Amino acid sequence: MASEGAWSAQSMQAMTTNMVGLKQAAESGSFAISQDGAQAYIKAIEDAQMQLAEVDLDILDLVNKPKLGTSPDGKSLSEYNLENVNGGAGTTGIIKAIDDLKAALEEARLAMQKAVENYREIDGSAAGTYQRY
């Protein structure tokens, strides 16, 4: 699995925000990229999607309340851990952050395809403005 910092809820929220911005730029036509240029981004997106699929297996271990004893501290820490997984006061929850990132990555992949279409349209219209002799 990737390092913890790479998949923190905060980093996933930041990536989600960036992916949404990418989608909006592509849909508005303000972002265009060649097919060759898009391939590296699409591969990175698909790699991240595969890594998140692997993370899903680890999440199964997190959704159960950890058994940390019956002491007040053990119970409190157990609740705190569960709150970080599912969300609660002061936290989005790692599961929601992962789900949001999955959706955003798919939107980013589609945005790259739209940006390639934008590039083709721009390239085609630019080619049409030159006269051939």
Side-chain angles (χ1 to χ4, degrees), residues 89-113:
T91 181
T92 300
I94 195 73
I95 291 175
K96 179 174 178 356
I98 289 171
D99 289 343
D100 290 349
L101 181 56
K102 285 179 188 174
L105 284 167
E106 183 57 23
E107 288 180 0
R109 191 182 64 73
L110 295 173
M112 278 296 156
Q113 292 173 339

Side-chain angles (χ1 to χ4, degrees), residues 14-63:
M15 287 187 275
T16 298
T17 300
N18 291 336
M19 299 300 161
V20 170
L22 178 68
K23 178 186 176 194
Q24 291 170 343
E27 287 178 350
S28 72
S30 63
F31 174 59
I33 190 169
S34 70
Q35 179 70 40
D36 290 340
Q39 285 306 316
Y41 289 106
I42 291 170
K43 178 166 180 359
I45 290 166
E46 290 172 347
D47 288 348
Q49 288 173 318
M50 287 182 4
Q51 287 182 9
L52 285 173
E54 292 172 12
V55 168
D56 281 343
L57 298 174
D58 295 330
I59 287 176
L60 295 175
D61 294 334
L62 298 176
V63 295

Side-chain angles (χ1 to χ4, degrees), residues 68-84:
L68 300 174
T70 58
S71 72
D73 288 343
K75 288 179 181 179
S76 180
L77 187 56
S78 181
E79 288 296 325
Y80 174 78
N81 288 343
L82 207 53
E83 190 174 282
N84 279 299

